[in-house]
Amino acid sequence: MRPRYRRGPLVAYLYRVDRAKPVRPMTAGKRAALAKAMRARRTCPACATDAGYVIPTSLGMCVPCAYPAAAPCAA
């Protein structure tokens, strides 16, 4: 760690793992909300079909809709 001249030293608070509380189990509502969000990430806005993969944000739509000359769209 390099020295800090104008401010105090960097501090990293380390916590004891044996005293940590366990993660709360996922509720049915939270599981349903997560499934709905993941389904929305896979749904193409252009053809409204489930692409089977997460739609790239760079394209904003599934690959067949983004490049129609390469492959026909599923719609």
Side-chain angles (χ1 to χ4, degrees):
M1 182 166 48
R2 62 180 191 238
R4 295 171 52 123
Y5 297 107
R6 295 179 189 221
R7 292 183 276 167
L10 288 173
V11 178
Y13 295 103
L14 303 177
Y15 299 96
R16 290 180 46 178
V17 175
D18 60 335
R19 298 184 77 190
K21 292 183 180 180
V23 176
R24 292 188 306 196
M26 190 178 296
T27 63
K30 190 171 184 179
R31 187 178 307 274
L34 184 60
K36 184 178 178 182
M38 291 306 293
R39 192 175 334 111
R41 290 182 69 192
R42 290 191 315 264
T43 304
C44 176
C47 62
T49 59
D50 187 350
Y53 54 88
V54 175
I55 303 293
T57 56
S58 59
L59 298 177
M61 58 184 71
C62 65
V63 175
C65 289
Y67 303 106
C73 190

